[in-house]
Amino acid sequence: MKKPALRAAIALGTIGALTALAACSGGGGNTPASGEADPEADVTITVGDYPTADKPDDRKAFDKQIDKFQSQYPNITVKTSTEAWDAQTFQAKLAGGTLPTVMNVSLTYSHELIDNGQLPNMTPYLEELDMVDDLNPLALANVQDDDGNIYSVPTGLFSVGLAYNRAIFEQAGLDPDKAPTTWDEVREDAKIISEKVPGVAGYAQLTTNNTGGWMLTTMTYSMGGTIQDEGGKKAVMGDATTEALQLLHDMRWEDNSMGSQFLYDQEAARQDFAAGKIGIIMQAPDLYGMVVKDFGMDPDAVGVGALPQANGQNGTLTGGSLKLFNAKATPNELLAAARWVKFYDFEKYFDEDKAVELASADAEAGNPVGIPGLPPVSPDIDERYLGWIKDYVNVPREHFSGYVDSTLPLIPEPPTATQQTYAALDSVVQKILTDENADIAATIKEANGVVDGIIAQAAR
């Protein structure tokens, strides 16, 4: 985020105060106003994130929604694509114009893409569909420019917490209803787990595919520091990052509590977590869907608490996902794509019958219903929605109480070249975990120089 006032507001905010936060940031591209779009014109759009063939139940549910949408809007034809966001290929596909009309993308790209003029101005289309007023203000602030124009639609926010295996906690003699809340407690619990439960890494760290830098940033925040300065003009890794890397070094080399796998990306880590090979790991609550549905983990074994802190209550990293619209799409396609997003992602919050129908279908298909998180709509609307679907909630939300009850400040991701910064820091974390004699101070000094170069390149 580029505006200091917004960054300060978010840093002081809490999960329970999301509705109080709103602001603007950046500048960006533009497309013709919706007056040039004909809502009755025949149009074809392509939507991404179509479930892959190995998920037939999910495909069936997706197809059902497409059929209903096309029945409601017979002039709109929806084609599907299994294209999904990937940090390594996204930029090339964006530049090549090969992405679907609309798809999910990491929220971290928002301001960079707005500044580069790579997104269409969706404001007139969203206003025509009466979507703007009900969006979560904190989410909306991430996708606007200085003039308040909206370039994409946030569909999910998260803050990083701490996932832990409740069954492993019990095996190690730890209280499964008491997640560690400080990094000292994490280190202590991880050591106990590694000593008492053979074959289990007490604690594991993401390190590859940009996730190493992402989680190092999160740890730095939790210890009172940051990666870039407020305006994203300079790398400022210092004492807090040093403390984070020293903790990882000591857990790895002194305690031997991190197992033997040090090249984890998100999916691989979740797979091992589900298999009972990891006791504790930094994650957001959305891991529940993958570890339970895709990897067969016992739902009662999943616990999620607030992000551990050191040196006071500093905060946790917040991010999320958005619906990205293809800048090469025509006005008619953009309006139709916005209509699809309203139908697919938001209608359940305003139509009780739709909410119950979707929740019932998800429950019947074995999908998780009621995973805690930060809603894309205002909290009062989300609370009403949860009331509508209470009979279908199949997630043991009581095991997320540490996360849900957290009042930690929400701190946005590094504002400039976020993913490039994360990628550069992957090797930093890997070095500390694979070289016992790594010089942490020298490593951080070098990393600051690398990130400064990334920032300078982004400014050109």
Side-chain angles (χ1 to χ4, degrees), residues 295-348:
F295 299 139
M297 187 172 183
D298 180 356
D300 287 328
V302 182
V304 181
L307 183 72
Q309 302 289 292
N311 312 313
Q313 295 292 98
N314 299 300
T316 183
L317 180 146
T318 186
S321 61
L322 54 80
K323 285 288 198 253
L324 179 138
F325 300 87
N326 195 321
K328 299 181 184 298
T330 67
N332 285 344
E333 290 169 346
L334 292 174
L335 179 60
R339 200 179 292 279
W340 164 258
V341 171
K342 180 178 181 180
F343 172 87
Y344 187 78
D345 292 281
F346 288 91
E347 191 172 29
K348 66 182 181 181

Side-chain angles (χ1 to χ4, degrees), residues 92-116:
K93 290 181 177 180
L94 177 69
T98 60
L99 296 177
T101 317
V102 60
M103 64 178 288
N104 283 311
V105 169
S106 172
L107 190 69
T108 59
Y109 286 106
S110 182
H111 290 294
E112 177 183 343
L113 298 180
I114 292 173
D115 290 342
N116 292 342

Side-chain angles (χ1 to χ4, degrees), residues 122-326:
M122 295 300 297
T123 310
Y125 308 105
L126 301 177
E127 288 180 342
E128 182 167 323
L129 300 178
D130 296 321
M131 290 183 63
V132 176
D133 291 343
D134 295 316
L135 294 176
N136 185 313
L138 176 58
L140 193 60
N142 286 273
V143 296
Q144 292 175 300
D145 66 11
D146 285 332
D147 297 321
N149 294 310
I150 303 168
Y151 291 85
S152 53
V153 178
T155 53
L157 288 175
F158 71 85
S159 63
V160 178
L162 194 76
Y164 63 101
N165 187 312
R166 292 170 55 85
I168 289 175
F169 264 50
E170 289 183 343
Q171 286 179 264
L174 300 170
D175 185 350
D177 294 323
K178 187 179 180 182
T181 59
T182 68
W183 283 109
D184 285 343
E185 291 175 353
V186 170
R187 182 178 181 182
E188 180 181 348
D189 288 354
K191 188 175 182 181
I192 291 172
I193 289 170
S194 65
E195 291 174 348
K196 293 189 175 182
V197 189
V200 173
Y203 176 83
Q205 187 82 358
L206 299 176
T207 58
T208 67
N209 198 24
N210 301 12
T211 64
W214 179 39
M215 288 295 104
L216 179 60
T217 299
T218 302
M219 289 185 76
T220 297
Y221 287 174
S222 74
M223 294 176 175
T226 189
I227 300 297
Q228 298 177 4
D229 64 11
E230 190 172 85
K233 304 296 186 184
K234 184 177 178 58
V236 292
M237 287 173 280
D239 291 346
T241 307
T242 299
E243 186 175 356
L245 292 175
Q246 188 66 56
L247 173 65
L248 293 175
H249 174 278
D250 293 347
M251 292 173 71
R252 162 70 172 98
W253 298 105
E254 294 182 11
D255 301 347
N256 194 29
S257 63
M258 294 185 65
S260 58
Q261 172 60 280
F262 308 111
L263 294 175
Y264 273 127
D265 63 9
Q266 181 92 296
E267 183 169 345
R270 289 180 172 187
Q271 188 166 11
D272 275 4
F273 181 77
K277 298 179 181 180
I278 295 172
I280 306 169
I281 189 169
M282 284 188 289
Q283 287 282 301
D286 70 323
L287 96 156
Y288 182 93
M290 182 178 287
V291 299
V292 171
K293 189 174 192 307
D294 296 344
F295 299 139
M297 187 172 183
D298 180 356
D300 287 328
V302 182
V304 181
L307 183 72
Q309 302 289 292
N311 312 313
Q313 295 292 98
N314 299 300
T316 183
L317 180 146
T318 186
S321 61
L322 54 80
K323 285 288 198 253
L324 179 138
F325 300 87
N326 195 321

